[in-house]
Amino acid sequence: MQRMPQWADVILIPLISLILAAVLSALVILAIGENPWAALKLMVEGSLGSTYAWGYTLYYATNFIFTGLAVAVAIHARLFNIGGEGQAMLGGLGVALIALFIPWPHWTLALLGGAVGAALFGAAWAFIPAWLQAKRGSHVVITTIMFNFIAAALLNYLLIGALKPQGSMEPATGRFPEATHLPTFQDMFSTAETALFRGAPVNVSFFVALIACVAVWALIWRTRLGYEIRAYGQSEGAAKYAGISPVKIIVVTMLISGGLAGMMAINNVMGEAERLVLNAVEGAGFIGIAVALMGRSHPFGVLLAALLFGFLYQGGAELALWTSIPRELIVVIQALVILFTGALDNMVRMPLEGLFLRLRRAPKPDRKTSPAE
Amino acid sequence: MDFLTLIQVFDTTIRLATPLLLACLAGLFSERAGIFDIGLEGKMLASAFLTAAVAAVTGSVLVGLLAGIGGAMALAGIHGLASITFRGNQLISGVAINFLAAGLTVVVAQSWFGQGGRTPQLSGNARFGTIDLPFAAEIRDIPLLGPIYADLISGHSLLVYVGLLMVPLTWYVLFRTRFGLRLRAVGENPAAVDTAGISVVGLRYAAVAICGLLTGLAGAYLSTGLQAGFVKDMTAGRGYIALAALIFAKWRPWYALGACLLFGFLQALALRPDVIEGTLGFEVGVQLLDALPYILTVVILAGFVGRAIPPRAGGEPYVKER
C-alpha cells in the first residue's frame, strides 16, 4: 500500500501537520490580542538566542527525548503507553533512593547507578499494566492512566512522610550528596575567559539521551527482539504464527518503555533539582506522546521533535515572562500537534495521497493499467 | 461517628458524585456506541470555564450553561471528526482534547478576565442556587427521617437532581428504545447495523453529541454548583475517575450510579480525616483515599473481582467493506 513516496510520509505529512498546528496557534495568539510574529521572535530569541537560552532548550529536550522514546518503543508494538508521567515519577523515586542512601565515590558511577535505578523503578511501574494487558486483556491505556494517579498519590505520601528530612516543612527529599551532582554544560564547556551556558540546567544526561536514541534505533531495527516487536505491532496473528509470544513482547516492550520514561529522572531529578520534589515531571510524560507522534516513532524523529518541544517549552516560558500570554499556550500548541499528527492524521494524509496518485498518473497516460499501489 | 456527621458526609458524597455521574453517563453513551472517550476530562473543563465565564458576564447561569454545553459539544465534535470521519486513533484524539481544554481555558481566561486563569467569583443568579424540596422545613424535626429528607435529599442544586434523573433516563433510552438498541449494536457489531441499512456514522455522531451534552452539564455543575467560579484545572482528574467508574460499572447505568456514589464517598471521606480516625480508630492517609478509585478500577480491570468486558467494537473505526 505504498500510495506515496516515503519522503512524503516521513517529512511532508509531519511538516503539514506542524504548519496547521502553528497557524491555529497563531490564530489563538491573535484572538487574545497579541502579535503572533512578535511572539515568535521573542520565543526564538529566548530559547535559541544565547548559550544560556540553549541550555534551557536542551535541558527540556533531554526530558522529552526520554519520554518520547518511551512512547515510540511502545508504539512499535502497537501499545499506547500513556503512563510515561507516572513511570517518570517513579524513576525520580529510584534516583532519589540511590543518590540518598548509597555513598557514591564519583559522579560517573552515581550517574550509572542513578540511570539503572531510574530505569528499574520506571520499568517496575510499567510492569503491572503490561502484565495485566498480556495476561488478563485489560486495556493498557486505561491501566497506565490509573497508574499515573496512583504514582502521584504514592509520591505525595512518601514526600510528606518517610522521605522528608526531619524538621523540613517542604514536601521534598533532602539534597543529594555532593558526589552525585552531575556536571552541567557550564562545567564542561566554559573556558577561563568565556562562561558558556551560565546557570542553565542542561547537563551530561543530554548525552545519555543521545546514546538512548542510538540504542533504541539499534534495538528496533538491528536485533531479533526489535524485529519481534515490530512484527507483533504489524500483525498479532502473523507474529503468533511465527512463534512470537505476545505475552513476552507486551511485557518486554512495556518494561523497556517504562525504563526509558523512568530514565528521564537522571536529567530532572539528579541533574537539575538535585533532590526529589513534588510534581518533578511537570507533564513531560505527556509531551512524550506528542514527541513520539511527531517523530513518527523513529529515534531520529524523536530527537528532532524533542528539540522542537524544548524550543516551545523554553520559548513559552519566555513569553509568559515578557508578555501577558500565559505559559499554558504551550499546552495548546502541544494539543494541536497531538491532534494533527496523531488523531487527524488521515485528514492530511488522504488528500495528499490522492494528489500523489494523480501526479503519478498524469505524465504517463498511455501506461498500462498497473495498479498504483 | 454520630448520625448528623453521617448525614453531612453523605450530603458531601452526593454533591461530589454528581459531576462524576454526569461524566460517567456521558462516557457510557459514547463507549456503548464504540467510541472510546478519554477526553471526558477536557470536555468537562471546557464547559466549566465557559459556563462560569458567560455566567459572570451575563449574570445568568442558564445562559452560561448553554455556552458550557456548546463548548463541550464543540470538543465532542472534534473527537467525532477525528475518530469517526477521519478514522483516527480515538485514544490519541482524547488525549489531544484534554490538553486543548487544559491550555485554552487558562489562555482565554487570562485574556478575558486577567485574573491569572480564573473567572470572577460568581454569586446570585450567576450560580445554581439550592432547591428546597416541599415540606423540607416542616418535617426536619421528625427524628431519623426528617434530617435525611431535609438535609440529605433536599437542598441541592438543580443539576444534582438532573444527574440523578439521568440514570433511569439513560437506562430507558439505551435498553427500551429503538435508538438505544441500535446504539448498543453499533458498539458491538457495526457491520450488522450497516447491513440493516442504518447509518453507523450517524449513530456514532449522535452518541458523541450526547456525550458532549452530558459532560457539558458535568462541567457546568463544577464551576457554578459545587464551586463559585472557574479555577485552572478545576476538574482535577474527575474525568478520569468517571472513566474508572464507567469500567467499574461495566458500562451499565445503574451500576454507574453505584460506582460514582462510591467514588464520591471516598472523595468526601478524604475531606474529613477526623471522621475516619474517629470511626476506624487509626489514621488513613488522604493519599490512599485519593488513589483508591484508581486502585479499585485496576483490580476490576484485572478481572479478579468480576470481569469488565468493554463493548466489542470499542476503539475501532468502522470501515465499510469495498
Side-chain angles (χ1 to χ4, degrees), chain A residues 23-37 39 325 329, chain B residues 111:
Chain A
V23 167
L24 279 181
S25 310
L27 287 179
V28 170
I29 298 177
L30 263 182
I32 60 172
E34 296 273 343
N35 181 347
W37 183 244
I325 302 173
L329 181 71
Chain B
S111 157

Side-chain angles (χ1 to χ4, degrees), chain A residues 136 142 149 286 328 335 343 346, chain B residues 86 88 99-100 232 247 302 307:
Chain A
R136 319 279 313 184
I142 304 292
F149 286 102
F286 292 117
E328 276 74 13
N346 278 336
Chain B
F86 289 112
F99 285 125
L100 199 59
K232 176 182 161 180
I247 296 160
R307 213 151 157 64

Side-chain angles (χ1 to χ4, degrees), chain B residues 1-11 152 265:
Chain B
M1 183 164 36
D2 62 280
F3 181 63
L4 280 180
T5 322
L6 195 68
I7 293 281
Q8 269 178 14
V9 171
F10 281 152
D11 184 58
L152 185 60
F265 180 62

